């Protein structure tokens, strides 16, 4: 068979680009960063930092070129605040950032590790120094969530991943005020059996708006006797009805291959929570946690991903 798997993402040669050794205060590990471009073109990563108690907080790292010379906040940027938000008792994790033009603010949707498991929490910021917390907006067990950047019709839309007895699938919910959520719709189901994305999937980075639809990079978790394998796949959804899936790739497009992805606190994990788009409007910089231990960068093309999906049935 003369079949070559297309390489949709290319790893940066300086990977991993951020590790615990870069931090200005003692930590265990840094991974799963949210990402955004600030108005002056600076890349901001909001990194999940696990301290040496095992609890996570968020810390901002900024770089002019998105690769080198990271300026890391000298102290945690956003700490769990269990006194005021008891749901943040065991830490805050895996932020997804969406700039919301209507509000002129960045929405940060993150995991609050509650006594009853992970829930979805929301905060807003204008500058990544001051934060307005909305608290938990989806009760446990739920995570891997992001806000769409504008309303769909009159409603804000939140993509998230509740867990229920039959499996862990991606849902979308709607709200008029960002606090009360309803009209829950199943968006993408985990496959079954031997598939790479059987039983448990979740959104990775916030959906990418393209003229063809919302391009979604999602992770699939394959359970094996040796542990879990986290890989990435692609799907496309209708712009006006995000729960309508237009295309879904059958093969995974990115998986743990390098040593820094296979070995770490949790091996065989690639886990992106954020991306930036280059000024050409096509080059996508995917920032991902590698093996729950470091941050790495892979670059792809939105057009190439759409073309690849086009060929899927
Ligand atoms: C998922 C999340 C991620 C983590 C991954 C692998 O469930 O908790 O934060 O990177 O597991 O441990």
């Amino acid at each position: 068979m003369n079949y070559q798997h297309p390489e949709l993402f290319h790893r940066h040669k300086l990977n991993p680009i951020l590790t615990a050794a870069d931090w200005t205060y003692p930590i265990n590990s840094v991974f799963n960063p949210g990402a955004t471009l600030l108005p002056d073109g600076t890349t901001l990563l909001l990194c999940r930092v696990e301290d040496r108690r095992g609890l996570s907080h968020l810390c901002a790292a900024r770089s002019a070129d998105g690769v080198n010379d990271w300026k890391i906040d000298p102290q945690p940027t956003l700490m769990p605040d269990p006194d005021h938000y008891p749901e943040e008792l065991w830490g805050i994790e895996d932020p997804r950032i969406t700039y919301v033009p209507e509000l002129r603010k960045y929405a940060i949707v993150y995991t609050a590790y509650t006594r009853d498991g992970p829930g979805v929490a929301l905060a807003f910021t204008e500058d990544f120094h001051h934060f307005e917390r909305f608290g938990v907006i989806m009760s446990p067990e739920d995570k891997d969530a992001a806000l769409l950047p504008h309303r769909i019709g009159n409603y804000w839309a939140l993509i998230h991943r509740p867990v229920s007895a039959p499996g862990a699938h991606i849902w979308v919910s709607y709200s008029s005020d960002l606090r009360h959520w309803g009209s829950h719709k199943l968006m993408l189901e985990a496959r079954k059996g031997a598939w790479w994305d059987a039983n448990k999937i979740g959104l990775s980075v916030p959906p990418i708006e393209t003229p063809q639809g919302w391009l979604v990079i999602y992770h699939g978790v394959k359970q094996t006797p040796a542990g879990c394998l986290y890989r990435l796949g692609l799907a496309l959804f209708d712009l006006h009805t995000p729960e309508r899936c237009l295309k879904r790739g059958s093969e995974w497009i990115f998986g743990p291959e390098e040593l820094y992805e296979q070995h770490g606190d949790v091996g065989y994990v690639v886990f992106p929570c954020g991306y930036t788009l280059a000024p050409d409007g096509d080059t996508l910089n995917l920032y991902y946690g590698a093996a729950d231990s470091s941050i790495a960068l892979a670059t792809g093309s939105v057009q190439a991903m759409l073309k690849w999906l086009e060929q899927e049935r």
Side-chain angles (χ1 to χ4, degrees):
M1 192 167 80
N2 188 17
Y3 174 72
Q4 280 224 309
H5 193 277
E7 283 292 328
L8 287 176
F9 279 102
H10 298 279
R11 291 170 174 81
H12 200 281
K13 59 179 188 307
L14 294 179
N15 276 351
I17 57 167
L18 282 167
T19 70
D22 298 310
W23 245 247
T24 48
Y25 53 94
I27 64 170
N28 172 54
S29 53
V30 53
F31 51 112
N32 302 4
T36 194
L37 277 183
L38 299 177
D40 69 355
T42 300
T43 298
L44 179 139
L45 298 185
L46 193 58
C47 309
R48 170 175 173 190
V49 170
E50 190 184 279
D51 66 25
R52 295 176 60 120
R53 297 171 302 167
L55 308 192
S56 293
H57 61 265
L58 308 182
C59 186
R62 295 169 177 82
S63 156
D65 66 2
V67 180
N68 300 288
D69 299 325
W70 293 94
K71 308 269 176 303
I72 297 164
D73 278 358
Q75 277 145 22
T77 309
L78 189 64
M79 276 297 274
D81 182 10
D83 289 343
H84 301 102
Y85 298 89
E87 314 81 40
E88 298 184 353
L89 179 67
W90 287 326
I92 56 177
E93 308 177 348
D94 301 357
R96 273 81 169 184
I97 302 170
T98 304
Y99 183 69
V100 183
E102 182 185 326
L103 306 174
R104 298 204 189 139
K105 287 176 186 167
Y106 299 89
I108 304 166
V109 179
Y110 58 95
T111 302
Y113 198 160
T114 81
R115 205 180 274 283
D116 298 305
V120 175
L122 171 67
F124 284 95
T125 187
E126 289 174 46
D127 54 11
F128 292 91
H129 294 294
H130 306 93
F131 299 88
E132 185 194 350
R133 277 168 152 101
F134 275 45
V136 163
I137 53 170
M138 288 290 165
S139 59
E141 183 175 341
D142 203 329
K143 56 159 76 168
D144 299 330
L147 189 69
L148 294 188
H150 54 75
R151 298 169 194 254
I152 305 294
N154 289 323
Y155 295 97
W156 300 103
L158 183 86
I159 321 281
H160 58 117
R161 204 283 309 276
V163 175
S164 60
H169 314 297
I170 300 178
W171 288 68
V172 57
S173 300
Y174 295 92
S175 170
S176 54
D177 63 1
L178 293 159
R179 291 186 184 272
H180 305 92
W181 296 86
S183 300
H184 312 294
K185 302 271 180 354
L186 179 61
M187 207 176 157
L188 193 71
E189 243 181 298
R191 289 177 169 116
K192 294 193 166 69
W195 279 86
W196 69 272
D197 56 354
N199 306 322
K200 188 173 171 187
I201 58 171
L203 181 73
S204 64
V205 304
I208 302 150
E209 193 167 9
T210 77
Q212 288 89 329
W214 296 102
L215 179 62
V216 164
I217 303 177
Y218 70 97
H219 63 258
V221 187
K222 177 154 175 152
Q223 318 253 4
T224 82
C228 291
L229 286 161
Y230 279 72
R231 302 185 181 111
L232 305 180
L234 284 182
L236 188 70
F237 296 85
D238 186 81
L239 281 181
H240 308 291
T241 318
E243 57 269 23
R244 224 184 111 219
C245 184
L246 307 174
K247 288 272 177 191
R248 181 182 193 169
S250 49
E251 298 182 346
W252 70 84
I253 56 155
F254 194 75
E257 288 171 13
E258 298 293 331
L259 275 180
Y260 55 86
E261 297 161 351
Q262 297 182 336
H263 299 282
D265 280 0
V266 185
Y268 294 87
V269 176
V270 289
F271 203 93
C273 292
Y275 70 88
T276 60
L277 204 55
D280 65 9
D282 183 56
T283 306
L284 188 114
N285 299 309
L286 191 72
Y287 291 94
Y288 63 99
D292 283 10
S293 292
S294 64
I295 291 176
L297 167 63
T299 299
S301 148
V302 172
Q303 284 310 315
M305 285 186 258
L306 290 171
K307 212 168 139 214
W308 181 81
L309 268 179
E310 232 353 70
Q311 295 159 4
E312 294 287 308
R313 262 178 290 155

